[in-house]
Structures are given as structure tokens and as C-alpha cells.
Amino acid sequence: MRLVKQSKGNWQYHLNHNEADILLGLVKKFPFTELSQIKISKTDNEPATVERGKLLNESLAEHRKALKTLAMNLLGNEKWQPSGEGQLLTLDSGSREILLQILNDIRVGCWHALGEPEVLESPAAHSSRKDLTYRKLMDLAGYFEMKFLEPEV
């Protein structure tokens, strides 16, 4: 994936067919991880605090659902153009920001599911299949984040 053109809040990226399929697959499966219940206070168990925590969790779930819908719309067929051995993807700044939010959520969610390890270089020899999947997804999301944030051409 590489940035081929940037002008006035629009970005055009060239992705080979494999990259395009992976990006679409990541977004289609978003969110990979479940929202963990957020507790506003560990010590305050007042009904109002518990209710605020519940509202926050509901709001976050709605936000993720809206992000997925937006991302699926912005990665629709009209955004892609065939180009040689791949596809051109054209995004405006809002669409690009939504994709970055989703990719970051995937990356951080996978890291959290792995137990928030401090060292990520190589998985342990006894890693489960699920852990290896989370690592691969985290790496793929990070790859696309990096490519979307590369300096302009």
C-alpha cells in the first residue's frame, strides 16, 4: 500500500489485491474484541455512579456500531478503482479518520486481549492459536495505520 496522491483533504492510495482484501476483511470483522465493562469508580458504588458507567458502556457500543457502518459505506465499491495490479482507494479526511479510529481500536483491542504485554517482538513458544491470531490482527491493523499516516508524496 502506498500513497500516490494527496490534495486538498483527499488521499489516494494504491493497494495490491491482497492488501485491499485484507483491509476490507479487517473492517468487516470489526470489532474483533468485545467492549469490556467500564467502571467509572472502583470505590464509589452509588447508584448514580453505576448508572453513569452503564450509560458510558452503552454509548461506546453505539459508537463502535456507527463506526463500522460508516467504514463499510466509505469502503464501498464506488471508492475503489482498478489500477494495474491492484486498486486505487480514494478517501476524504473524514473517511480516513474513521478508518484510522477503527484500525486503532482493532490494534489496541487485540493488545488488550493479549493481556497488555510490554514486549511484543516475538510470541511465546506456548502461545495459543487465539493469541497468535490476535498478534497477526494487531500487526495488520498497525501496518495499515502506518500506511495511512505516512508523509505525503
Side-chain angles (χ1 to χ4, degrees):
M1 178 175 160
R2 63 183 166 80
L3 177 64
V4 292
K5 185 178 178 183
Q6 191 273 325
S7 63
K8 297 182 183 175
N10 288 304
W11 287 262
Q12 191 172 57
Y13 298 93
H14 182 271
L15 290 82
N16 66 37
H17 295 297
N18 192 37
E19 290 169 324
D21 289 343
I22 291 170
L23 178 60
L24 286 168
L26 280 170
V27 173
K28 283 180 183 175
K29 292 180 181 178
F30 171 81
F32 283 101
T33 56
E34 295 297 318
L35 279 174
S36 56
Q37 290 297 326
I38 295 173
K39 194 171 180 183
I40 291 178
S41 171
K42 291 183 180 183
T43 58
D44 185 359
N45 291 321
E46 292 291 320
T49 303
V50 172
E51 183 63 24
R52 284 192 300 272
K54 182 180 175 185
L55 289 172
L56 177 59
N57 283 313
E58 289 171 1
S59 177
L60 287 171
E62 287 175 22
H63 177 71
R64 286 176 113 189
K65 185 177 178 181
L67 272 180
K68 181 174 183 169
T69 301
L70 286 170
M72 291 311 299
N73 290 336
L74 65 91
L75 288 178
N77 290 336
E78 69 279 357
K79 298 289 184 174
W80 299 91
Q81 298 171 342
S83 173
E85 295 295 317
Q87 301 278 328
L88 289 176
L89 173 64
T90 303
L91 301 170
D92 61 26
S93 58
S95 299
R96 184 172 170 253
E97 180 61 32
I98 290 166
L99 279 176
L100 285 168
Q101 286 181 33
I102 286 173
L103 292 167
N104 190 61
D105 189 88
I106 291 168
R107 190 177 51 78
V108 172
C110 289
W111 174 75
H112 182 70
L114 288 167
E116 302 173 11
E118 289 187 34
V119 178
L120 293 171
E121 284 76 38
S122 58
H126 61 279
S127 293
S128 70
R129 185 175 183 92
K130 189 174 185 178
D131 283 356
L132 292 173
T133 299
Y134 280 132
R135 284 181 175 275
K136 288 178 185 176
L137 294 172
M138 187 172 58
D139 289 344
L140 287 169
Y143 168 80
F144 285 109
E145 275 186 295
M146 179 188 70
K147 291 297 187 175
F148 279 123
L149 292 171
E150 277 185 343
E152 295 141 17
V153 288

